[in-house]
Amino acid sequence: MRVNPSTFAAWLQEASQLPAEDGRRQIIRIGSDRDFSLLARHISRQRNSQPMLGRIQPLRLIRAISCPLLPEGKLASAPFISSVETDSRLSLHLSAGGAASGRGRSLEGAVIPWGIRHIRAPQAWTKSKGDQVRIGVIDTGVDYAHPDLRHCLARGINVLNRQLLPYDDNGHGTHIAGTIAAHARQKGIIGVAPQALIHPVKAFDHQGGAFVSDIIAGIDWCVSNGIDIINMSFGMKTYSKALEAAVLSAHRAGLIIVASSGNEGKQAEIDYPARFRQVIAVGATTRRGRIASFSNAGSGIDIYAPGEKIYSTWLRGKYNELSGTSMATSHVSGVVALMLAKRPGMKPLRVKTLLKRHARFIVSTGKKIGGIKELHALRAVSAVSKSSRR
């Protein structure tokens, strides 16, 4: 029997009543805008009377839904379905042993962490501080009460529970936000782009896990709300056609996507979404400007940035020192904000090209390593200033 979207929606309604099998889900992409609209409208209309339909998440950006597993036979009989894939899990890119307990407030005066000094961000502040550039941090949320972040926090979303604010119940998202845009007046830390705006997008739970569909929903929100940069400090090993479609849509809309490469110390393979060519893929370096032992490396990395023992904001107004390509990625997002404040509307490929062209070669055993470059904020912002005068 060939079915129409309304009949299929009824099947989804039935499936939503059943216990989730090991929590497994799938992403079903619909072939046409018309069929997707019919399906989405039906789900929306029935949600009040059928609360379990909340387990079915429309993904408008890629014309899809995420739902509990449906029998293969029912999927095969719906000709308007273009593809089906497992709704895979992703994890945050934090190195082994990186998560420590939050440190108390013991800072004397405003502190610029070593990584921000290392990339020469303070020298770039005379040219740009990232004024009003909008950064979507798809992560665990953020600590709204942290004094170093209050000035930079703008409207966000909790895709796990849209009735709640994107409060951080893990710490990772707060740490990322601090490196990007913290601003301390008397005590605290200063981030790479202290006048940028952070839009927290909570897609990860308190344990640091998320479904691909949650990430796509976060990307969709960023595209719909005029975000300039998306920071993705997470990844997975398996390819997802749905995630690639979402990244491509955001890229075409002009958003600049920065993603961490992973922390397995691999030499020739990086995680998704950093592996997509539309993304700026980031590896991590140490205080000495060497590639960190935990960082994935190789030709797939576009640029490296500080990722070892990075001091930043934490939950309950505290601070924490973490390592990982996650931390490196937040440095890059901050520098991109500095660049966009100087020249709004730059295309993603142009930004990536300028970052790479004006980075510095990494030195190992007294020799420059060809093609492996580390982030340099002053050079990148200066390059934008020069090009904007032409």
Side-chain angles (χ1 to χ4, degrees):
M1 178 181 71
R2 292 168 66 85
V3 300
N4 59 34
S6 296
T7 304
F8 187 70
W11 285 351
L12 288 173
Q13 190 169 313
E14 290 176 19
S16 68
Q17 311 300 317
L18 302 174
E21 184 183 345
D22 302 325
R24 289 188 294 168
R25 301 175 62 83
Q26 58 195 357
I27 296 174
I28 301 173
R29 298 185 69 193
I30 309 302
S32 73
D33 289 332
R34 177 182 175 278
D35 288 340
F36 175 77
S37 296
L38 284 172
L39 189 57
R41 278 201 301 271
H42 183 90
I43 293 170
S44 179
R45 281 197 303 266
Q46 298 297 319
R47 269 212 172 114
N48 290 336
S49 60
Q50 301 286 340
M52 290 301 289
L53 281 175
R55 292 169 61 189
I56 299 169
Q57 181 180 27
L59 303 170
R60 298 182 187 279
L61 187 66
I62 62 167
R63 213 165 51 220
I65 59 167
S66 169
C67 64
L69 291 179
L70 285 177
E72 287 294 330
K74 291 192 174 184
L75 293 175
S77 63
F80 51 84
I81 292 177
S82 63
S83 67
V84 180
E85 69 176 69
T86 300
D87 193 355
S88 303
R89 295 280 285 179
L90 305 94
S91 57
L92 301 170
H93 277 155
L94 193 64
S95 69
S101 59
R103 296 186 177 184
R105 176 180 286 277
S106 59
L107 300 179
E108 293 297 329
V111 173
I112 302 174
W114 79 263
I116 292 167
R117 286 184 277 107
H118 183 79
I119 64 171
R120 304 294 188 269
Q123 289 85 341
W125 291 340
T126 58
K127 301 176 184 292
S128 173
K129 289 188 176 181
D131 187 35
Q132 299 298 300
V133 174
R134 305 175 69 184
I135 305 164
V137 177
I138 301 179
D139 215 289
T140 60
V142 74
D143 178 4
Y144 275 81
H146 202 294
D148 297 1
L149 299 177
R150 287 175 184 167
H151 77 287
C152 71
L153 293 178
R155 185 170 63 94
I157 189 172
N158 185 334
V159 300
L160 304 182
N161 186 338
R162 297 190 181 230
Q163 306 305 312
L164 300 178
L165 288 172
Y167 285 116
D168 191 355
D169 50 8
N170 173 280
H172 189 273
T174 298
H175 196 278
I176 296 299
T179 297
I180 296 172
H183 180 63
R185 297 186 183 278
Q186 294 178 333
K187 285 186 177 182
I189 67 163
I190 301 175
V192 176
Q195 291 180 3
L197 297 175
I198 298 291
H199 295 261
V201 179
K202 181 172 176 59
F204 286 80
D205 60 27
H206 69 284
Q207 294 180 321
F211 284 104
V212 165
S213 58
D214 299 324
I215 304 305
I216 294 172
I219 296 172
D220 192 352
W221 187 90
C222 290
V223 172
S224 299
N225 287 273
I227 302 302
D228 301 306
I229 304 162
I230 301 179
N231 186 99
M232 296 184 174
S233 291
F234 54 81
M236 63 180 185
K237 304 293 178 289
T238 56
Y239 167 76
S240 164
K241 186 176 181 180
L243 181 58
E244 183 177 32
V247 166
L248 182 57
S249 293
H251 177 81
R252 286 173 174 165
L255 281 73
I256 296 154
I257 303 170
V258 188
S260 48
S261 63
N263 298 333
E264 292 75 39
K266 295 181 180 178
Q267 295 301 307
E269 187 176 308
I270 66 174
D271 287 358
Y272 295 102
R275 204 187 299 191
F276 298 135
R277 61 182 181 83
Q278 295 86 7
V279 173
I280 298 173
V282 183
T285 51
T286 66
R287 283 177 175 268
R288 300 180 65 186
R290 310 287 171 81
I291 298 175
S293 60
F294 58 78
S295 177
N296 287 350
S299 59
I301 307 268
D302 294 304
I303 199 159
Y304 292 80
E308 177 190 57
K309 296 183 179 177
I310 301 301
Y311 195 70
S312 187
T313 46
W314 197 246
L315 301 179
R316 293 178 290 280
K318 296 182 180 181
Y319 302 89
N320 205 349
E321 191 176 83
L322 302 179
S323 297
T325 53
S326 278
M327 288 68 241
T329 299
S330 53
H331 285 81
V332 177
S333 292
V335 172
V336 173
L338 299 180
M339 296 167 71
L340 288 184
K342 285 296 294 181
R343 191 174 181 184
M346 275 198 301
K347 301 297 183 185
L349 182 58
R350 178 64 176 161
V351 170
K352 181 191 282 194
T353 299
L354 287 175
L355 275 177
K356 295 171 69 172
R357 182 180 298 162
H358 298 282
R360 57 185 165 201
F361 285 105
I362 289 177
V363 177
S364 180
T365 62
K367 296 181 180 180
K368 292 180 179 179
I369 305 175
I372 300 179
K373 291 186 172 184
E374 188 179 36
L375 185 67
H376 197 296
L378 179 58
R379 289 180 188 171
V381 174
S382 297
V384 172
S385 300
K386 290 176 183 176
S387 63
S388 64
R389 289 198 297 266
R390 292 174 185 168

